[in-house]
Amino acid sequence: MNTGMGLIWIAGASGLLAFLTSLLYFLRQDRKFMVLSEKLELAGGLGIVLAIILLVYHLLGVDTQFSYVFQHSSTDLALKFRFSALWAGQEGSFLIWTGFIFLMLTVTRFTGAGKTLRETDLFALMRSVSLFVASIFLLLLALKNPFSMYYFTGAGMPEVTNWNLFAEPFVVSYGQGMNPLLRNFWMAIHPPLLFLGYAAFTLPFAAAISGLVLKDSRWSELATGWMRVSWLFLTLGIGFGAFWAYEVLGWGAWYWTWDPVETSSLIPWLTATAYLHAKFRFRHEEYGFMLPMLALVSFILVVFSTFVTRSGLWVSVHSWQDFTTEGMVIALFLLILAGSSTFLLVRKYFSED
């Protein structure tokens, strides 16, 4: 049995049900839905953590019946690079990104403003929006499963399945290993820092959406701490990535070039910086429109950056593939985020009533 694939499915079902029950709690104010939602959230988060541990185990052991392991690990790789292969491909990247979202939701519930506002409608709706985002990532994991496995078909030719838990595995005698450009010290640092920063943008976005829906200015108390976290990790990630590019790609002795993916990670850093500056004025009842707009746009730009990386529509050293089903899901997600954010901002700040 493909245990990892089962864990992804369990996490996906738990995450979706956690979102739906949290929404029911917000709408009906029945605490049994909140209790159930928190248990389902825990199950989803635990499933993702176990999946990460299991994938690392397979990468270290070079278990090449799994297509992700075959593509990114090999026996000639040092152990540090086999571990770093966890985020060398988009399946692993989505996996740790989703894990970070669940982790941050848990931290929010028990610390800071989240602990203070935990019983409010504002927190309930913020949690629902965050779980909706997590559900989208879980859907992407189901479509691009990190535990997809090679198996024999009836014709005797190996194929890949991402749904058959009980397929007879076909073990490849060797792994392709990691892209030579990724076999670098910075590979262990740069990507996870970026994914931490990207994941942390989820909470300010969810808080801003909730504040606009409920017309509750306390949303910034929930958002600002995580915006600082996002800014910090994105700063470190972009900086270390520049050193990596200088060492490996040698962009004419420059640390930076306007590569599409590189640039698309810089733009949300700029909006996060603007948010942190605007927050000071927001305390004095200024920049009422600017602050939620920046919180929303920052996350939307992160999703756009993800789309750029995974769609293959722009030529970049960071791009992974051509436009596929996963790219279509991200594009649709991007449209939903942009459309809902625009509607709520216009309704609050530009409607005549």
Side-chain angles (χ1 to χ4, degrees):
M1 177 179 172
N2 191 331
T3 305
M5 190 180 293
L7 286 171
I8 296 296
W9 287 7
I10 291 171
S14 299
L16 177 60
L17 290 172
F19 160 63
L20 293 174
T21 50
S22 69
L23 194 58
L24 283 173
Y25 168 68
F26 172 73
L27 295 173
R28 298 188 179 183
Q29 298 296 305
D30 189 335
R31 288 190 63 84
K32 70 180 180 183
F33 289 118
M34 183 185 74
V35 173
L36 179 58
S37 178
E38 289 179 348
K39 290 179 179 178
L40 288 166
E41 178 191 330
L42 177 62
L46 184 60
I48 291 297
V49 169
L50 291 175
I52 291 172
I53 294 172
L54 188 58
L55 184 57
V56 169
Y57 172 79
H58 290 314
L59 288 166
L60 294 177
V62 195
D63 297 325
T64 52
Q65 68 265 34
F66 300 101
S67 61
Y68 186 83
V69 176
F70 171 75
Q71 293 167 14
H72 301 290
S73 185
S74 62
T75 54
D76 65 323
L77 276 180
L79 286 177
K80 63 181 178 181
F81 292 131
R82 294 187 204 179
F83 181 84
S84 299
L86 177 62
W87 45 78
Q90 65 173 315
E91 299 96 321
S93 299
F94 282 140
L95 186 62
I96 63 167
W97 191 338
T98 308
F100 287 148
I101 292 175
F102 276 107
L103 174 63
M104 290 170 183
L105 269 172
T106 302
V107 171
T108 300
R109 195 189 311 165
F110 296 105
T111 61
K115 183 178 181 180
T116 305
L117 299 172
R118 185 175 174 181
E119 301 298 325
T120 64
D121 286 347
L122 178 68
F123 185 86
L125 185 55
M126 184 203 75
R127 186 168 168 272
S128 295
V129 175
S130 300
L131 286 169
F132 168 72
V133 172
S135 297
I136 297 297
F137 280 93
L138 289 165
L139 172 61
L140 291 169
L141 283 172
L143 292 172
K144 197 73 173 177
N145 200 307
F147 295 95
S148 294
M149 190 173 66
Y150 292 109
Y151 75 106
F152 273 119
T153 64
M157 295 296 293
E159 292 189 6
V160 177
T161 178
N162 65 351
W163 61 269
N164 190 346
L165 293 172
F166 302 99
E168 185 68 26
F170 171 75
V171 180
V172 185
S173 58
Y174 59 91
Q176 289 182 341
M178 191 182 293
N179 185 321
L181 291 176
L182 302 181
R183 301 181 188 188
N184 185 280
F185 165 78
W186 297 111
M187 178 61 183
I189 302 174
H190 165 67
L193 287 175
L194 283 181
F195 292 130
L196 270 167
Y198 286 169
F201 276 121
T202 304
L203 281 303
F205 172 83
I209 288 287
S210 304
L212 290 171
V213 170
L214 299 173
K215 299 180 180 179
D216 190 334
S217 63
R218 293 176 297 175
W219 71 268
S220 65
E221 298 175 25
L222 293 167
T224 301
W226 287 111
M227 189 63 82
R228 292 191 182 109
V229 171
S230 299
W231 185 90
L232 173 63
F233 284 112
L234 212 55
T235 300
L236 293 172
I238 292 172
F240 290 145
F243 279 107
W244 186 2
Y246 178 80
E247 288 182 7
V248 175
L249 298 174
W251 281 328
W254 288 95
Y255 289 90
W256 185 270
T257 187
W258 296 102
D259 176 85
V261 173
E262 190 179 35
T263 305
S264 66
S265 68
L266 174 66
I267 297 174
W269 179 87
L270 293 173
T271 57
T273 304
Y275 174 96
L276 295 175
H277 283 283
K279 180 64 173 72
F280 175 77
R281 305 299 300 180
F282 186 73
R283 294 172 186 168
H284 301 282
E285 299 183 355
E286 298 179 23
Y287 290 175
F289 166 75
M290 183 71 72
L291 201 68
M293 184 271 290
L294 288 169
L296 297 172
V297 167
S298 294
F299 182 69
I300 291 171
L301 288 171
V302 164
V303 177
F304 177 73
S305 175
T306 305
F307 175 73
V308 169
T309 306
R310 289 154 181 84
S311 67
L313 297 180
W314 283 270
V315 177
S316 167
V317 296
H318 297 82
S319 295
W320 282 334
Q321 63 176 46
D322 295 327
F323 195 75
T324 61
T325 304
E326 298 81 51
M328 293 175 63
V329 170
I330 297 171
L332 179 59
F333 183 41
L334 189 60
L335 289 174
I336 292 172
L337 296 179
S340 59
S341 299
T342 302
F343 170 77
L344 290 172
L345 285 169
V346 169
R347 189 188 70 166
K348 180 171 176 60
Y349 294 104
F350 298 101
S351 60
E352 294 182 359
D353 56 330

